[in-house]
Amino acid sequence: GAVVSQHPSRVICKSGTSVKIECRSLDFQATTMFWYRQFPKQSLMLMATSNEGSKATYEQGVEKDKFLINHASLTLSTLTVTSAHPEDSSFYICSARLGADEKLFFGSGTQLSVL
Amino acid sequence: GESVGLHLPTLSVQEGDNSIINCAYSNSASDYFIWYKQESGKGPQFIIDIRSNMDKRQGQRVTVLLNKTVKHLSLQIAATQPGDSAVYFCADSLWTDKLIFGTGTRLQVFP
């Protein structure tokens, strides 16, 4: 299947700092990418839909100024957690669709720990 | 999918037995359904999908059954192996819209 690369896999930061997570589609172009968040022993919660060349669409309850999404090219979307706090500690996962194929291909996830 | 709950239901099966994992979805208009497997610390991995115009689809050792009347989806794994141990999520969508994930079920395979 298609490969989605996510970096970094793990990050530890101090409270108040910003963290950027990258999501790349390695062998295909993705006009749409999705960002999910997952707490321990819970399901994936969709945060936002990232559209290449336009603003991201955020789910209800997700602060767009807190979680900045940039989809500058057809192979790269970034999620920046601004002024991170301990409650932002979570597993963040990106995903992308291959053309008209409906199934999502997922990155390996980023474990964010805010001290 | 119905993404609720703080405790993952767990299914324990013996190696070699068949496993059946169930999922309920809430949107009767959903037309696409998919099962993912997630190992600890990793992103979800695609297993099998099915469209609403079908009620059964088979893959390698896996079968997905869809009952639209009761909005129920199941994943059957034949001859379960230790490598099948993971958390399994169902997800559904409408017209290539965003995928919404269900609660998840932890599958434990013991020898």
Side-chain angles (χ1 to χ4, degrees), chain A residues 13-26:
Chain A
C13 68
K14 293 182 179 180
S15 183
T17 60
S18 295
V19 174
K20 179 184 285 187
I21 302 170
E22 292 187 349
C23 181
R24 295 180 184 273
S25 55
L26 293 186

Side-chain angles (χ1 to χ4, degrees), chain A residues 36 38 42-43 97 102 104, chain B residues 6 36 38 51 97 99 102:
Chain A
Y36 287 83
Q38 186 178 32
Q42 292 193 30
S43 186
R97 282 201 173 102
E102 290 180 87
L104 292 180
Chain B
L6 297 177
Y36 283 95
Q38 186 181 28
R51 296 191 182 278
D97 196 8
L99 276 178

